[in-house]
Structure formats: C-alpha cells, structure tokens
C-alpha cells in the first residue's frame, strides 16, 4: 500500500519523515522480545518515549515467542505471526501483493494483508519487532490479541527510520490452530498543536515506557488527564511498561456491547512492572497486587489484573478474568 493511500493522520504520523525526521514516535533500537527496553533516559535513542532515530545497521529482530504463564499461547502466536508477516519484508518485498504471499505461506487467509494499514508503508525494506502480545479479549471460541510492535522502514538512503503500531487481531477457534479473521491497526490521529502539562510530563518520564502507538496517543492530546496523572503517580514507586492506551484496542469490552474506556482515552494497560512481566509466574504476586492497589489509589475506578483483590473504594473497583491474566488495566471516569 503506497503511503499516499493511507488515512491522512496515519500518513503524517508514520511516513512524513522517510526523507528526514518522522512526525511521530519511535521507541528505539530492537530488543529481545519479552525483555526490557533500552536505557530509560528521555534523551537516549533507546528510550521508549524518544524521538525517531536512524542508524546504518538495519534491525533484524527475533520472532516473538510466548513466554511462561501465557493462557493459550498458540492463539497469541498465531496473531503475532500474521502481523510479523505483513509488517516486515526483505529488500524489494514491499507492497500488498508480496504481503499476501507471506500471509498465505502461514496457511492464513491472504486477504488479511489488505487490512495491514500503515504497516504496509511504501518502503523498500522493513523490519518488525513485537514488544508484547496482550489479550484484548479471550473467550471459548473467539479472541482479540493486541500485537504491540515497533517497525523500521528503509528511507531513501536505506537507513532505518523507526515507527510502530498496535494491531487488534481478531481470531476464532478452529483446528488445528485458531484462525485470524480480521486486523484493526491503531489509528492515533495527528499530533496536537500543543499538549497540557500531564501529557508533556508523561512523555518525558523515563520510568514510564510507552510503545509507539501509545506515544502517538499521548501526543494526539486525546488521553484524559486523569489517566496521565495516574501514570505519573505510579512512576513514583514503579518503572512500568504500558502496552495499550487509546488506539489499537477494541471499541467495545470484548464479548459485550459496552464501550471500552480505552478508545475514549480513559484507560491504560500495563504489561511489565519493574522489569517483570505480569503474566510470568515468577513475577512476585505482591508486586502486581501492589501496583493494582496503587492504580486504584491514583484514581482508577476499574482496576483489572490476574487476581481478584479484596477491598477498594467501591464494591467492584477490582476485577479479574482470563483476558486480564497478562496485564493490569486501569480505567478512569470522564
């Protein structure tokens, strides 16, 4: 898909800088999937919230693999493999036709490539790294997997320019493997002309690691101040990695007709706390539980995670289900 066919907001966000600097975010150099990001300095090229950067060596990230503790890991793996096939290609492998071939080689529906959106930028080469694959919903016969990724596109001089997205991948149960049925890439929209104090501070806070789509969400000015203030409060005691804020999340709470707080900019999900993945059985339960309680104390009315906690300011302030086995959700009222 040529850059000219993308929606204006995404085109400006992801491709305006192939000849220079991108108009959107970067999250640094590749890292091993499920491993911490680079040094948390706001001025470091490895910072999750840093500006776009290029280097002479083209990234070659390893394919993502599910770690310990995942529920139905092959469901996540299936979703990730389709996104990796669409968003990464060797020199000369650009274009939707080539992407269809890569998807077909997985035994998936080739037409899924047509839904790749900005991942199919008109660049001669691309590499894609999955930061994490998080459930947006997990039911007996259907699932949403939020594939959080970084992407590097070859610029005119061949040097990589970093960007990224989050893709809501829908699946349905099938044998021998679940089938990917649809892709919904994030669409954060253009950056705001000016940002308020909470947004500016979140982007500059090295203890809050935001993936590319989440950085773009904050820069769009569409994230509620309550959510941003809670991130800053949590950063006083924890270094944490956010997976999803506004874009790239289902519009409805999965399996229901209730609007999700995420698309309204009133929620954020955290997948790693102090370098420990929420889903990993080796992560101390007390660490995750204390983070959940701190999120509630910071103003979240709706805190979800791998365990149902007691107490809370309201009877239903804490919740737990299979979907939130791998992350902590914090929602805020408008």
């Amino acid at each position: 898909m040529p850059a000219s066919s993308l929606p204006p907001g995404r085109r400006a966000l992801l491709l305006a800088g192939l000849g220079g600097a991108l108009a959107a975010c970067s999250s640094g150099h590749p890292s091993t999937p499920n491993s911490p990001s680079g040094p948390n300095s706001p001025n470091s090229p490895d910072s999750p919230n840093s500006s776009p950067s290029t280097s002479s060596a083209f990234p070659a990230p390893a394919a993502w693999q599910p770690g310990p503790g995942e529920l139905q890991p092959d469901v996540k793996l299936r979703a990730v493999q389709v996104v990796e096939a669409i968003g990464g290609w060797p020199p000369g492998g650009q274009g939707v036709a080539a992407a269809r071939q890569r998807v077909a080689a997985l035994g998936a529906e080739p037409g899924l490539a047509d839904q790749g959106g900005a991942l199919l930028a008109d660049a001669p080469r691309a590499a894609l790294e999955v930061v994490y694959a998080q459930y947006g919903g997990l039911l007996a016969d259907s699932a949403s997997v939020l594939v959080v990724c970084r992407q590097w596109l070859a610029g005119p001089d061949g040097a990589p320019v970093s960007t990224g997205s989050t893709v809501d991948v829908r699946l349905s149960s099938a044998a021998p493997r679940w089938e990917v049925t649809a892709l919904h890439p994030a669409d954060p929209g253009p950056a705001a002309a000016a940002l308020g104090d909470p947004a500016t501070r979140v982007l500059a806070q090295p203890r809050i690691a935001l993936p590319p789509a989440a950085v773009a969400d904050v820069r769009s000015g569409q994230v509620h101040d309550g959510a941003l203030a809670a991130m800053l409060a949590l950063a006083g005691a924890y270094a944490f990695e956010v997976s999803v804020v506004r874009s790239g999340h289902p519009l409805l709470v999965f399996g229901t007709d209730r609007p999700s707080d995420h698309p309204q900019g009133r929620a954020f999900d955290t997948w790693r706390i102090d370098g420990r993945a929420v889903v990993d059985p080796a992560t101390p339960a007390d660490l995750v539980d204390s983070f959940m309680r701190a999120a509630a104390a910071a103003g979240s009315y709706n805190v979800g995670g791998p365990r149902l906690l007691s107490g809370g300011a309201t009877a239903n302030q804490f919740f737990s289900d299979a979907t939130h086995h791998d992350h902590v959700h914090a929602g805020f009222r408008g």
Side-chain angles (χ1 to χ4, degrees), residues 86-159:
I86 293 173
W89 56 86
Q94 71 269 35
V96 68
R100 288 177 185 148
Q101 293 179 352
R102 295 192 297 271
V103 172
L106 297 172
E109 168 55 46
L112 290 167
D114 297 43
Q115 303 172 30
L119 291 179
L120 286 172
D122 189 11
R125 183 181 183 184
L128 184 138
E129 176 187 47
V130 172
V131 177
Y132 187 57
Q134 171 189 299
Y135 280 121
L138 178 60
L139 303 176
D141 59 356
S142 61
S144 160
V145 177
L146 311 183
V147 182
V148 182
C149 52
R150 303 181 180 104
Q151 189 183 37
W152 292 266
L153 305 172
D157 60 355

Side-chain angles (χ1 to χ4, degrees), residues 75-271:
V75 174
K76 286 190 175 184
L77 185 61
R78 186 62 164 168
V80 164
Q81 288 172 336
V82 169
V83 172
E84 289 176 332
I86 293 173
W89 56 86
Q94 71 269 35
V96 68
R100 288 177 185 148
Q101 293 179 352
R102 295 192 297 271
V103 172
L106 297 172
E109 168 55 46
L112 290 167
D114 297 43
Q115 303 172 30
L119 291 179
L120 286 172
D122 189 11
R125 183 181 183 184
L128 184 138
E129 176 187 47
V130 172
V131 177
Y132 187 57
Q134 171 189 299
Y135 280 121
L138 178 60
L139 303 176
D141 59 356
S142 61
S144 160
V145 177
L146 311 183
V147 182
V148 182
C149 52
R150 303 181 180 104
Q151 189 183 37
W152 292 266
L153 305 172
D157 60 355
V161 180
S162 57
T163 179
S165 188
T166 294
V167 185
D168 174 10
V169 181
R170 302 299 177 92
L171 304 96
S172 61
S173 62
R177 300 186 72 185
W178 282 45
E179 293 181 351
V180 175
T181 59
L183 306 178
H184 301 282
D187 185 7
L195 289 178
D197 177 69
T200 301
R201 290 170 60 202
V202 164
L203 292 172
Q205 172 54 256
R207 290 170 64 81
I208 304 172
L210 301 174
V215 172
D217 287 337
V218 176
R219 288 180 172 166
S220 76
Q222 298 183 67
V223 180
H224 194 273
D225 281 355
L228 297 169
M231 289 186 199
L232 292 168
L234 288 164
Y238 306 92
F240 58 98
E241 299 186 44
V242 171
S243 46
V244 179
V245 178
R246 188 182 68 84
S247 60
H249 191 280
L251 298 179
L252 302 177
V253 176
F254 195 76
T256 78
D257 58 1
R258 292 183 287 114
S260 168
D261 285 331
H262 282 277
Q264 302 173 65
R266 295 192 285 106
F268 63 90
D269 291 342
T270 300
W271 76 276

Side-chain angles (χ1 to χ4, degrees), residues 107 140 248 285 291 297:
F291 186 88

Side-chain angles (χ1 to χ4, degrees), residues 6-90:
L6 297 175
R10 292 298 286 162
R11 183 167 65 249
L13 176 68
L14 296 177
L15 292 179
L18 280 180
L22 285 176
C25 61
S26 163
S27 58
H29 302 302
S31 60
T32 303
N34 300 332
S35 67
S37 303
N40 281 334
S41 167
N43 298 317
S44 166
D46 288 319
S47 170
N49 303 345
S50 65
S51 299
S53 61
T54 61
S55 63
S56 57
F58 208 86
W64 185 85
Q65 291 292 327
E70 297 283 3
L71 297 180
Q72 301 201 44
D74 191 60
V75 174
K76 286 190 175 184
L77 185 61
R78 186 62 164 168
V80 164
Q81 288 172 336
V82 169
V83 172
E84 289 176 332
I86 293 173
W89 56 86

